[in-house]
Amino acid sequence: MWTSSSPFLTVVNRSCLSHLATNSLNGSLPSTLSGLKSLKSLDLGSNHIVGHLSSSLQHCKDLEFLSIPTSELSGPIPEWLGRLTKLRVLELFTNHLSGTIPASLAGASALESIALDDNDLSGPIPTALGNLPNLAAFYVASNRLEGPLPNSFSRLNSLMYLDVSYNRGFGGSLPTFLDRLWLLESVAFENCDLTGPIPPSLGSLNLLVELFVDNNRLSGTIPAALGNLPALNKLYLNRNQLGGSIPGELCKLSYIYNLNLARNQLTGTVPACLPKLPRITLLDISHNNLTGPLPPNPRPSSLHFSYSGNCLDSAPDQDCPANATSPAAAPSSAAPSATPSSAPSATPSSAPSSAPSSAPASTLASAPSSTPSPSPSSAPSPAPASALSPAPASSPASLPGPAPLSTSAPARSAPASKSAPVSTSTPASTSAPASTSAPASTSAPASTSAPASTSAHASPSASLSIAPSSTPTANAVQQQQQQQGTPPSPNKAASRGEEKIEVIQAAMAACIATMLLVLLW
């Protein structure tokens, strides 16, 4: 607790300057501060100051710098702050202040920086703040403020930093007057529930270094004029509803470090020049509708290039329209009906009554090699291919098969901060699970989305659903994964066990076929 005899008050009286940030001071501001008539700077940040902002400070008419951030102040912002006509810096961020931003704050005409972010402020931004001729920084992020930004802010010709992010009730659209604030270096409207287009006029802000408008509902296209921003370092347009193509003019951003266009509705091809930008370290175009060739990453060690969730030629995603028909689901829709004519019972007593009536001669060549062949001169027409399947008669699609071999990359979340690059250089794989148990279907085309080979997705022969030569085994798929640099499936033991089941099933099918032929003979 502080008292009138506290040592720091004596120091303040002598030097008229107080820098007591990042200490273990606690309690409320003492009323004796009103006696510090010559106090010019008060810095008490990162302490444990509680209660309201003491009204004793209103008597410090020479106060220029008031900073009590990252503390435990509560209550409203006092009206008397507007009477401190020499106040240049007001920093009260990361406290528990509530209520509205008082319009009387505009009376502090010397204000150059206002930092009220990370509090519990609500209501609109006062129009009167547009009358502060020297205001260069305005930070009100992470509150509950309502929009829109007053048109009076178009008169703030000294404004360089504007951050109203994370005010979910802000709404409205991006201000169209921002191009008049030619000194702007950083603009942030993240997570403000904005709608409408991105004004092309932003491309005239020659000093703009950072533009953050992610996590909104912005629509329209990416203005090509944004490529005219010569000083731009960071451009975050992710998580909106932007459509159209990626403008090639963005390749003129020679100073760009972070470019995030993820999770929009972008179409067309990826400009091959984007990964070649000289200073870029984060390029995220993931989860759009982009097609065509994927530009190579010229600097894998320094450029975090994320492109998953698209339909690019060399890195197709599982959600591509071309892959909308899952190969695993196709056989079930084309599975033969469980009727006696197409899938006879596996018991020898019922086989003779139904098998000979529909036995095409062309299926004899598809029988497994382990089946003894009768003399050609006396062999009757063999049973249909479906009779050789080890599947039960009542459910051809229920035969156990190998477990799906997952080769997809782990789910990736959005970056936690704007400057932290997220490595997502491994595309989400779309390899379909290899299955040798489901009946074949001629209506399900072989998938052509695998990066290296399409043989893993080729449909087995339509005449014999268990033919081992038409569908690769799990080991073959795992070898293909190793060649592609994809982590193998963790269920290796289960896959080997299921391969053994397949061999046993093939042997059983051969035995059944032999019995049927003997009975028919």
Side-chain angles (χ1 to χ4, degrees), residues 32-33 59 120 162 165 184 204 210 222 293 303 399 448 466 484 497 499 501:
T32 50
L33 289 174
H59 302 289
D120 195 27
L162 174 63
S165 301
L184 276 175
S204 64
E210 301 174 337
I222 300 175
L303 172 58
L399 183 68
T448 59
I466 61 168
Q484 297 175 0
E499 289 174 23
I501 292 176

Side-chain angles (χ1 to χ4, degrees), residues 173-176 195-200 202 217-221 223 242:
S173 58
L174 278 171
T176 57
T195 57
I198 299 175
L202 291 177
R217 291 185 292 136
L218 297 175
S219 57
T221 60
L242 300 172

Side-chain angles (χ1 to χ4, degrees), residues 302-326:
S302 59
L303 172 58
H304 298 268
F305 187 8
S306 177
Y307 46 79
S308 61
N310 286 289
C311 297
L312 300 169
D313 291 349
S314 55
D317 188 79
Q318 190 172 3
D319 296 330
C320 285
N323 298 334
T325 303
S326 174

Side-chain angles (χ1 to χ4, degrees), residues 48 50 59-60 77 156 197 217 307 310 316 327 358 375 391 395 422 442 460 479:
H48 302 286
V50 300
H59 302 289
C60 303
I77 298 174
L156 298 178
R217 291 185 292 136
Y307 46 79
N310 286 289
S358 60
S375 173
S395 178
V422 179
T442 57
Q479 290 176 2

